[in-house]
Amino acid sequence: MAIAISKKKSKRPQEQERKELSYPSRTPAILLLLFLLFLWSSSTTFITGSIVHVCVTSRKLGNLYCLSAGSQRADFEMPLPLMNITSEISNPQTQQLAGKNPLNVRDNTGKEAIDIAREASVSTTERRSVGFPVIRSWVDKVKVKVTRNAPISDVNSTSNGAPIITSGSDKALEEEIASARKDVEGQMEVLRSYIPKKNHSGCVGRGIYVYELPPKFNKDLINQCNEMLPWIDFCKFFANKAFGEPVATLGSGWYNTHQYSLEPIFHSRALKHPCRVHNADEAKLFYVPFYGGLDILRWHFKNNVSDHVKDKLSFELIEWLRLQKSWTRKSGLDHVFVLGKITWDFRRKEQTSWGTRLLEHEEMQNPMKLLIERQPWHLNEVAIPHPTFFHPRSDSETAAWQNKIMQAHRKSLISFAGAARPQATDSIRSILIQQCNSTQKCTFLDCKKSVCSNPAAIVELFSGSEFCLQPPGDSPTRKSVFDSLVSGCIPVLFDPFTAYYQYAWHLPADSRKYSVFIDQEEVRRRKAAVAERLMRISLKEREEMRRFIVYDLLPGLIYSDPDAKLERFEDAFTITMNNLLEKVNSLP
């Protein structure tokens, strides 16, 4: 534990100093010292700047729990060897009305943050004044209690001396986690409450305004495509309305679509939405077509690029929006951004070089943000499906594909397309690869050999498999989850953040209808033989799940061609826009 304390004192009268050193006034200090020693004995405490952090972790989740107090910038992050999921317990009503998050500490009456959140909203400035570290997990109810009570059996440190707690879990922690799950699931229910109960016909009161941004915020970024990824020609992925090059072997509507193409794909669809209006005064929803993900990509693989340069376009966008009358009308609450990368890429921390700080800006707290991976404790962030390879031009193309994959011969019980993560010591991928290679019932497609860049190989593998393994990679979510669903392959998930706490508008609350869950900790501890577990699922159960995936889910997971005339199906874009309109229509 490293504590830096300044010895510099301000000058005060000697008489005042003698009074402060008298015995009665020392009592509070002694009590405070004893209290801090108690906390230290049951957890790990460290001080950075002027903020105190009391932290403990659970191998169950692989994340750090921290209770913090003091004054510290909101971008504090404790170095860890693995990516950590941040959590901010959110008040649904507060989020809905103002896009704010409650204070993550107790008040002087002993109320927990979850209770305080129900009574009042707290601004971002107020949050920062009491310390708002990024490294935290689940909800404050877990954080406040567990950091004081959970045992720690092993504490290590990183190369720079920051503490890493490698174990510590008990029954109380498990109970708190169960309670935390209910809180998170409750927030997912709030998001699902925006799903319309009936189909809306016509566009009365449903006007969508698409900002005509200066080209530097979108079109000019695409024009820099040849500078983004040094190892491939990224420009080919923006051909054909950003669907990429056609894949002839798969037929009409199939393209080599890159996972980061969501921004221009969504933009193209919004421009042709039947409810689009050209007068801002007639609009209910305002779409800001900023290609923030492409803005990140153009700098990351270049050396010696300053943070100022990386953030420059984000700052300029906010300055541009401030001048718009429609932006100030409801402080951005009726605005939406579509960002084609994961939320963490827009929350850059000081000790990392990746990404921008777009989502850390005060002005970005109110608008809705649609991403391929959301911050699970932000109700104004919604995850929407990754773009798949399939972009049909008609209902009939979708129906033809549904029939084809329902009749497909699935010769493999299990398949896994991916690569090991040897540098990530907590990753279960190597274990899954070992298990897959040890049985004839599993087919492994090694993505280190670049074969995974071939859409036909992926679709052939998944459409020929009963189950598709989907462990976390660089982040919890995977494009591969949607590729498997579109191929009728039942995804096997190992982390609830991969899908269950992400896609409230496109995947049902009952995850058993479309997936199988195996706790990654059981795999890590060699307590789960994946093939044996999956073999226990009967053919009838598999067939029921597959029919639900193909006929109920599949149409809503794909982004159709902008010129498509859909009457029978609602695709991912249509579902998203309908839910957004439902949400903004509920605003006061």
Side-chain angles (χ1 to χ4, degrees), residues 216-229:
K216 65 180 178 180
F217 296 117
N218 42 49
K219 296 176 184 178
D220 288 353
L221 293 173
I222 288 184
N223 292 335
Q224 299 177 43
C225 57
N226 60 341
E227 303 174 7
M228 290 181 179
L229 302 180

Side-chain angles (χ1 to χ4, degrees), residues 94-112:
T94 301
Q95 284 275 11
Q96 179 179 343
L97 295 177
K100 304 296 183 183
N101 295 306
L103 208 61
N104 286 18
V105 295
R106 291 191 179 202
D107 67 359
N108 56 12
T109 66
K111 293 181 181 178
E112 290 182 5

Side-chain angles (χ1 to χ4, degrees), residues 226-516:
N226 60 341
E227 303 174 7
M228 290 181 179
L229 302 180
W231 59 89
I232 59 172
D233 177 14
F234 202 53
C235 294
K236 65 182 180 181
F237 293 107
F238 296 111
N240 300 302
K241 307 163 191 174
F243 291 154
E245 298 175 335
V247 183
T249 55
L250 293 176
S252 177
W254 289 88
Y255 300 86
N256 187 10
T257 304
H258 197 274
Q259 63 176 334
Y260 295 149
S261 296
L262 178 62
E263 292 159 348
I265 288 174
F266 203 96
H267 190 187
S268 296
R269 291 292 304 278
L271 291 173
K272 296 191 176 184
H273 195 284
C275 295
R276 182 189 175 192
V277 297
H278 296 275
N279 183 350
D281 293 334
E282 300 174 1
K284 274 286 187 178
L285 177 67
F286 295 84
Y287 166 48
V288 185
F290 172 49
Y291 297 174
L294 300 185
D295 179 35
I296 289 174
L297 283 177
R298 66 181 177 145
W299 299 121
H300 182 63
F301 299 101
K302 296 180 181 178
N303 296 325
N304 301 320
V305 179
S306 69
D307 290 346
H308 171 75
V309 171
K310 293 176 184 177
D311 294 329
K312 185 174 183 292
L313 202 60
S314 297
F315 279 114
E316 291 176 355
L317 174 70
I318 290 172
E319 290 298 321
W320 187 88
L321 285 170
R322 284 173 178 164
L323 301 177
Q324 310 306 310
K325 180 181 177 181
S326 51
W327 173 260
T328 59
R329 187 174 71 175
K330 291 190 177 181
S331 301
L333 285 167
D334 52 359
H335 283 58
V336 61
F337 292 76
V338 178
L339 302 170
K341 296 185 97 282
I342 65 176
T343 182
W344 321 109
D345 289 343
F346 303 96
R347 301 177 182 279
R348 190 191 70 246
K349 308 308 163 192
E350 284 195 352
Q351 59 267 55
T352 62
S353 61
W354 176 258
T356 67
R357 293 182 55 81
L358 174 66
L359 296 186
E360 297 293 314
H361 290 294
E362 180 75 20
E363 289 83 355
M364 291 299 295
Q365 303 313 304
N366 283 348
M368 290 294 293
K369 281 82 65 177
L370 309 179
L371 307 105
I372 56 177
E373 180 177 315
R374 67 183 289 261
Q375 214 281 20
W377 283 267
H378 277 213
L379 278 172
N380 55 0
E381 285 191 19
V382 180
I384 61 177
H386 289 66
T388 66
F389 303 121
F390 188 37
H391 308 282
R393 298 172 183 168
S394 64
D395 291 329
S396 60
E397 282 191 359
T398 301
W401 178 248
Q402 288 175 314
N403 293 333
K404 182 176 181 178
I405 58 174
M406 282 302 297
Q407 298 172 13
H409 172 59
R410 299 185 182 271
K411 57 185 178 181
S412 295
L413 176 69
I414 310 166
S415 67
F416 175 38
R421 292 286 193 276
Q423 74 282 4
T425 56
D426 252 13
S427 174
I428 63 171
R429 287 182 168 221
S430 295
I431 300 174
L432 293 177
I433 292 171
Q434 181 184 35
Q435 289 192 16
C436 185
N437 288 333
S438 64
T439 175
Q440 294 182 346
K441 297 184 179 296
C442 185
T443 303
F444 172 54
L445 190 66
D446 191 353
C447 289
K448 282 187 176 179
K449 300 178 181 179
S450 300
V451 67
C452 294
S453 61
N454 179 3
I458 297 294
V459 174
E460 180 183 359
L461 176 69
F462 289 169
S463 60
S465 306
E466 296 270 10
F467 299 98
C468 294
L469 306 184
Q470 303 293 347
D474 296 326
S475 72
T477 62
R478 297 190 79 202
K479 175 182 182 293
S480 180
V481 171
F482 295 97
D483 290 334
S484 67
L485 288 168
V486 170
S487 299
C489 186
I490 302 167
V492 181
L493 305 181
F494 303 87
D495 186 331
F497 288 95
T498 298
Y500 304 153
Y501 301 144
Q502 294 288 340
Y503 308 100
W505 290 352
H506 297 83
L507 295 176
D510 188 353
S511 59
R512 296 169 298 181
K513 290 184 175 181
Y514 68 90
S515 69
V516 175

Side-chain angles (χ1 to χ4, degrees), residues 82-106:
L82 298 175
M83 189 202 78
N84 290 273
I85 298 171
T86 57
S87 70
E88 297 175 18
I89 178 63
S90 304
N91 173 22
Q93 294 179 345
T94 301
Q95 284 275 11
Q96 179 179 343
L97 295 177
K100 304 296 183 183
N101 295 306
L103 208 61
N104 286 18
V105 295
R106 291 191 179 202

Side-chain angles (χ1 to χ4, degrees), residues 459 524 541:
V459 174
R524 188 175 293 115
E541 290 175 299

